[in-house]
Amino acid sequence: DGRPKWDNKFQYILSCIGFAVGLGNVWRFPYLCQIHGGGSPASLPYRPLPPQEERIPLLHLELALGQCLRKGSIGAWNTISPYLGGVGVGSWMVSVLVSLYYNTVLTWVMWYFMNSFQEPLPWSVCPLNENRTGLNEECYESTAVNYFWYRKTLNVTPDVTESGTLQWWLILCLATCWAIVYLCTIRGIETTGKAIYVTAIFPYLVLTIFLIHGLTLPGAADGLAYLFTPNLNTLKNPRVWLDAATQIFFSLSLAFGGLIAFSSYNPPKNDCEKDAVTVAIVNSMTSLYASIPVFSVLGFKATTGYWDCLDRNIISIINEFDLPEESIMRQNYTAWISFLNSSYPEKTAGLKLKSCDLQEFLDQSVSGTGLAFIIFTQAVILMPGSQAWAILFFIMLFCLGLSSMFGNIEGVFTPLLELQIISKSIPKELLSGILCLICFIIALCFTLGSGSYWIDIFDSYAGSLPLLVIAFFEVIGVAYVYKIKRFSKDVKWMTGRKPNLYWQITWRFISPLLLLIVFVAFVSLQIQKPPTYAAWNPKYEDFPMKEEKVYPPWVLAICVLLAVLPCVFVPLVALFHLIKRTCRRKD
Amino acid sequence: VLLLTLSVVAVAHAELCKPDAQNAFKVRLSIKTALGDNAYVWDANEEYLFKAMVAFAMRRYSSKTTTQISNVLLCNVTDRVSFWFVVTDSSKNVTTVPGSEVEEAIRMNRNRINSAFLLSDKTLQFLKITSTLSPPVEPSTPVWLIIFGVVLCLIVAGIVFLIVSGIQQHKKKNKESTERENLEEKGEVTVTVENGIPCETLDLKAGHINGVFVADDERFTSL
């Protein structure tokens, strides 16, 4: 019937997996494990024990919906019921917003990738100051890695209200990234289907290489032990469970409309139940699998930091007391310290030695972009052959992000193609080109000095709350408006068997309930304190610590707008149709 | 008398060279850190070499050949290997050369002094004398721009290729459909069509014969 289709089933599964497995699997999941002290509930639900009731049913629902109705998100929800058309528009809106900022994160990855070909790596040394007497002050006070990220890459302003200027190097990288996205999505799934073979499989290869290498690094065992020992105190904190639940939900890329778009290109008789379970399991396994090399490297970095701390103390002691070199080694450090403290207490105290604690180094955690661009880059410098490791790492991140971008773009592209607004004579290539160009121009505002603050805002407000709302209405819509009986019959026609009791119960009761709980908890936690952000301000007195600043009111208004805009379409469209019907009845 | 002068000189030297004395500098060496297994032991011969290097530096700086090795005094040598040194002025009576001159001389010849001991600025430290750091080597075009150029060329080539092949496919499809229309108009090839499907493609043999109508033939009496 003229609708494009996947070349084979494997392409389809790979695309869904690639969409679900994104940057969050590498840097949000290990962060959650780290801040909640290893063995946290973030990792517990990933272990096969408790089934993830809120997301596998949703995944199954979306895949079945797309396959059965063979339309993108807007068309599919319009078919279910015109009153629910707003759900489709909402997911389309979220996909647009996320596509805008997600590619900017890929821009940063590309910038680091292009800089990894230098010897020595540019983030390993501090540049000199103007009169060449010492190192650049901002770099010296923080670390070379921090300086490269905040100054050389982002050129970040100290405040979100100060926009700064457009950074030309970031514009070049942004153009490259959108060009790559255009190249891969130029003809829709015809081209992404070929590209996904590379972008979905390559990260696993690199993760395996890092796994093998990471396990051979010193200190890896400490990092892994930290990951797998549960901290029973943190398990009592409800915040921990909420973070875990939200992370699990967001990691599957539900409610974007991208999964509906992907499955709409399937042949109608296809086992979507098996597909859903496969994608969910692979996603969880990938998170766990990725956390092993990440934690080995983090353990290695903590151990090296600890050794550096010890070495610096040893040097100060040796210099002060004029002891011969290598008289104090790391092993007998504590013995020496106690001896010196007892014999020369004032002199030892005058040295102001930092206390070196391995646990403290392991506890230092950063999530998100910090994990990749600060912590990992620092660890890479310490490995022999750092260029190769850096290049591999950034290509892997790029592939992970690119395959998620495919899903986002399909979620925007497919409904657009089906809307009657666009005439059929416009070739697909032109349409995707226009889409990428518009997104590129809007995303230019993320290359400003304050761009990284805006990306955090978009990520926390546009990429979180609306998804919960839309997912909730998706489940309610199918369960109570379309009716589960009708839906089960459709699924039976597609897969050949009726969905069993587990699906019936979760679709009807458990998933909506869980979603509602998570939504309420999320909102209540957000409004408890005024939203703040951490700014990088070299003039701050506690520099290199980041300065906690409160968002000004106009920024808060934008945050609320971002969160509310996709959700507001749900009632708006329903209201619109209601008014239309009452008008028609009057006539 | 000889003994007296010697002792006077020794006392005078002790006066001039002591920790935190005026115009005295502390030196710290980290030989094991720099050379590892190839580290040499710091003994009187090394000290002699050091005195010689400082005298050499002073001679080069002030271009007068009056500084002797005996003008350089070392004291308080520790196991760390660190010591204090001071340069005396033999022309004036038992005084030391101003610290600024010594500093300039050392700074000018830092490289030579470092290489004499196989050490670097970090492992042969003159406390109080800062060294001008050499800037990191920077290539004329930043490397990342080169990589950017390569990547962009590849992508643009890919896009152009895909667009061109898309246009070609489009043209071929158009040509085929116009050809078919032309042939139909000319009437040369009448393609009989049944429900939009050309009859040739209908596999009449594969069709089912409806048993009802076959049986009905017998209802009519034969002529």
Side-chain angles (χ1 to χ4, degrees):
Chain A
D1 58 327
R3 195 177 178 76
K5 49 185 201 290
W6 299 105
D7 288 346
N8 50 49
K9 177 87 182 276
F10 187 55
Q11 240 181 37
Y12 162 64
I13 295 280
L14 266 189
S15 298
C16 289
I17 291 178
F19 183 35
V21 171
L23 296 169
N25 292 70
V26 170
W27 69 39
R28 218 189 281 207
F29 170 71
Y31 166 66
L32 283 176
C33 285
Q34 209 176 6
I35 54 167
H36 301 310
S40 79
S43 56
L44 281 178
Y46 279 82
R47 298 171 192 169
L49 289 173
Q52 303 120 4
E53 268 98 19
E54 55 180 75
R55 57 177 207 150
I56 298 192
L58 269 166
L59 183 61
H60 187 195
L61 191 103
E62 286 204 8
L63 291 181
L65 203 69
Q67 203 172 288
C68 165
L69 297 173
R70 319 211 61 206
K71 289 215 183 105
S73 56
I74 300 185
W77 289 104
N78 264 327
T79 315
I80 294 254
S81 154
Y83 294 104
L84 283 177
V87 178
V89 180
S91 357
W92 183 83
M93 191 89 246
V94 172
S95 283
V96 169
L97 290 173
V98 171
S99 303
L100 286 176
Y101 80 80
Y102 204 79
N103 220 12
T104 316
V105 178
L106 285 184
T107 307
W108 298 336
V109 174
M110 165 132 290
W111 163 254
Y112 266 81
F113 165 71
M114 295 203 279
N115 272 296
S116 307
F117 286 88
Q118 259 180 288
E119 161 78 35
L121 290 171
W123 55 82
S124 58
V125 286
C126 270
L128 303 173
N129 56 18
E130 279 100 33
N131 46 10
R132 290 222 236 137
T133 53
L135 302 169
N136 179 305
E137 197 186 314
E138 188 183 345
C139 184
Y140 182 68
E141 307 230 333
S142 56
T143 59
V145 178
N146 274 324
Y147 177 75
F148 187 74
W149 169 237
Y150 285 108
R151 193 53 52 209
K152 282 297 179 59
T153 307
L154 297 174
N155 201 7
V156 72
T157 54
D159 198 286
V160 70
T161 48
E162 288 175 43
S163 304
T165 52
L166 291 170
Q167 319 301 330
W168 61 270
W169 57 90
L170 284 182
I171 297 183
L172 286 181
C173 295
L174 187 71
T176 317
C177 285
W178 276 111
I180 295 182
V181 169
Y182 178 51
L183 174 70
C184 295
T185 58
I186 193 168
R187 280 199 223 128
I189 62 164
E190 251 181 76
T191 39
T192 60
K194 313 278 188 314
I196 201 78
Y197 284 120
V198 174
T199 60
I201 298 187
F202 189 71
Y204 288 97
L205 277 174
V206 176
L207 275 176
T208 311
I209 297 177
F210 264 103
L211 184 87
I212 301 175
H213 179 75
L215 288 175
T216 62
L217 293 169
D222 290 314
L224 285 175
Y226 187 75
L227 168 65
F228 287 112
T229 40
N231 184 349
L232 293 166
N233 282 335
T234 54
L235 285 179
K236 293 188 210 138
N237 183 0
R239 183 74 203 258
V240 170
W241 288 97
L242 174 67
D243 276 342
T246 40
Q247 156 63 7
I248 292 171
F249 174 74
F250 295 135
S251 81
L252 262 186
S253 309
L254 295 166
F256 277 91
L259 289 167
I260 298 183
F262 279 155
S263 58
S264 69
Y265 297 116
N266 263 341
K269 298 245 181 189
N270 176 44
D271 194 345
C272 49
E273 181 181 342
K274 211 159 59 165
D275 296 339
V277 175
T278 311
V279 172
I281 291 183
V282 171
N283 187 41
S284 311
M285 288 296 121
T286 308
S287 289
L288 274 175
Y289 189 62
S291 61
I292 299 181
V294 169
F295 270 90
S296 317
V297 172
L298 287 178
F300 164 68
K301 183 179 167 297
T303 307
T304 330
Y306 172 64
W307 284 349
D308 272 344
C309 178
L310 280 182
D311 286 341
R312 258 181 282 130
N313 284 356
I314 291 176
I315 294 271
S316 342
I317 297 178
I318 289 184
N319 286 347
E320 179 67 21
F321 289 94
D322 281 322
L323 301 162
E325 284 179 280
E326 295 184 6
S327 54
I328 308 183
M329 302 295 285
R330 293 182 198 134
Q331 294 88 328
N332 49 17
Y333 172 75
T334 33
W336 269 99
I337 279 284
S338 41
F339 165 69
L340 287 171
N341 254 333
S342 45
S343 357
Y344 309 98
E346 303 99 29
K347 236 181 167 186
T348 325
L351 282 175
K352 296 208 181 74
L353 297 172
K354 271 175 124 170
S355 72
C356 300
D357 180 19
L358 181 62
Q359 199 57 32
E360 206 185 293
F361 280 100
L362 279 171
D363 280 337
Q364 272 170 8
S365 63
V366 197
S367 93
T369 52
L371 183 72
F373 299 118
I374 298 181
I375 307 238
F376 221 81
T377 45
Q378 199 160 12
V380 157
I381 303 175
L382 304 163
M383 299 181 199
S386 7
Q387 276 86 9
W389 296 113
I391 293 174
L392 270 181
F393 177 64
F394 289 115
I395 295 187
M396 172 187 84
L397 281 187
F398 193 76
C399 287
L400 281 173
L402 195 64
S403 46
S404 301
M405 269 306 282
F406 292 160
N408 279 325
I409 293 284
E410 272 309 311
V412 176
F413 202 41
T414 307
L416 273 182
L417 284 177
E418 291 157 6
L419 283 182
Q420 263 78 32
I421 308 176
I422 311 215
S423 85
K424 298 285 178 211
S425 59
I426 298 185
K428 251 197 234 174
E429 288 92 340
L430 189 62
L431 193 64
S432 50
I434 295 176
L435 183 70
C436 288
L437 191 65
I438 295 178
C439 288
F440 166 66
I441 292 177
I442 301 181
L444 279 178
C445 68
F446 291 121
T447 58
L448 290 168
S450 52
S452 64
Y453 302 132
W454 285 107
I455 291 196
D456 277 332
I457 291 177
F458 268 70
D459 193 30
S460 336
Y461 292 100
S464 59
L465 202 69
L467 293 175
L468 285 170
V469 171
I470 292 175
F472 178 72
F473 279 107
E474 280 189 3
V475 178
I476 296 285
V478 170
Y480 297 107
V481 177
Y482 191 70
K483 299 286 192 310
I484 284 282
K485 264 209 191 116
R486 219 167 118 197
F487 191 62
S488 304
K489 234 190 280 175
D490 290 332
V491 175
K492 180 161 179 215
W493 180 80
M494 289 194 292
T495 64
R497 55 181 187 281
K498 194 163 168 230
N500 58 29
L501 196 64
Y502 167 73
W503 300 112
Q504 308 274 351
I505 296 184
T506 48
W507 280 335
R508 261 189 251 246
F509 310 114
I510 302 190
S511 285
L513 193 65
L514 276 175
L515 279 171
L516 200 63
I517 294 178
V518 172
F519 173 75
V520 167
F522 196 82
V523 171
S524 55
L525 276 170
Q526 290 286 80
I527 57 180
Q528 255 173 24
K529 52 178 177 60
T532 56
Y533 66 104
W536 179 261
N537 186 3
K539 302 211 178 57
Y540 184 47
E541 52 196 9
D542 278 337
F543 187 75
M545 303 296 288
K546 296 223 221 145
E547 190 181 349
E548 280 276 314
K549 286 196 184 168
V550 182
Y551 286 124
W554 65 274
V555 174
L556 271 178
I558 295 187
C559 301
V560 170
L561 185 72
L562 281 175
V564 161
L565 190 65
C567 312
V568 87
F569 280 105
V570 178
L572 266 184
V573 172
L575 208 64
F576 170 72
H577 280 286
L578 198 68
I579 295 178
K580 223 166 74 169
R581 215 171 83 169
T582 40
C583 285
R584 224 183 289 155
R585 257 205 221 137
K586 280 197 196 145
D587 298 333
Chain B
V1 171
L2 202 64
L3 274 172
L4 212 61
T5 28
L6 274 175
S7 50
V8 164
V9 167
V11 165
H13 280 184
E15 278 293 312
L16 291 172
C17 177
K18 53 179 196 233
D20 295 320
Q22 203 191 34
N23 301 328
F25 291 93
K26 184 166 181 184
V27 182
R28 190 187 287 147
L29 288 92
S30 312
I31 309 175
K32 281 204 195 130
T33 319
L35 301 168
D37 286 332
N38 297 331
Y40 48 80
V41 178
W42 186 261
D43 54 13
N45 299 328
E46 306 285 344
E47 286 181 22
Y48 191 80
L49 178 60
F50 183 80
K51 292 188 203 174
M53 291 308 294
V54 174
F56 162 75
M58 292 304 298
R59 285 190 179 206
R60 269 191 99 200
Y61 171 68
S62 50
S63 359
K64 36 180 194 193
T65 49
T66 51
T67 323
Q68 304 289 328
I69 291 185
S70 48
N71 285 118
V72 184
L73 306 171
L74 263 64
C75 51
N76 282 64
V77 185
T78 63
D79 281 335
R80 166 67 180 84
V81 185
S82 67
F83 49 84
W84 290 82
F85 80 93
V86 80
V87 184
T88 57
D89 201 340
S90 44
S91 52
K92 303 194 189 132
N93 236 347
V94 209
T95 47
T96 51
V97 175
S100 50
E101 281 185 35
V102 179
E103 193 174 323
E104 278 309 306
I106 303 270
R107 215 186 248 146
M108 203 175 85
N109 299 290
R110 192 62 189 269
N111 246 359
R112 302 290 298 270
I113 303 177
N114 283 351
S115 6
F117 290 97
L118 306 171
L119 298 171
S120 65
D121 274 2
K122 269 180 93 176
T123 40
L124 171 55
Q125 289 168 303
F126 287 86
L127 307 180
K128 287 197 283 175
I129 303 181
T130 52
S131 45
T132 23
L133 302 158
S134 54
V137 177
E138 247 174 80
S140 47
T141 15
V143 177
W144 72 268
L145 267 180
I146 301 175
I147 308 287
F148 166 74
V150 169
V151 169
L152 201 63
C153 286
L154 287 172
I155 297 170
V156 169
I159 293 178
V160 166
F161 168 71
L162 279 176
I163 292 183
V164 165
S165 66
I167 296 178
Q168 274 180 351
Q169 251 179 22
H170 205 67
K171 270 201 208 141
K172 228 198 293 182
K173 245 192 267 170
N174 275 347
K175 221 168 66 168
E176 270 177 19
S177 60
T178 44
E179 265 179 16
R180 170 114 38 90
E181 278 171 24
N182 287 340
L183 289 171
E184 285 180 1
E185 277 173 16
K186 283 190 196 158
E188 278 179 7
V189 179
T190 35
V191 182
T192 38
V193 168
E194 174 74 23
N195 270 354
I197 307 170
C199 281
E200 288 107 21
T201 59
L202 281 176
D203 192 352
L204 292 165
K205 287 204 204 107
H208 284 288
I209 301 183
N210 192 334
V212 176
F213 291 106
V214 170
D216 260 347
D217 274 349
E218 293 169 353
R219 272 215 292 146
F220 301 116
T221 46
S222 46
L223 292 165

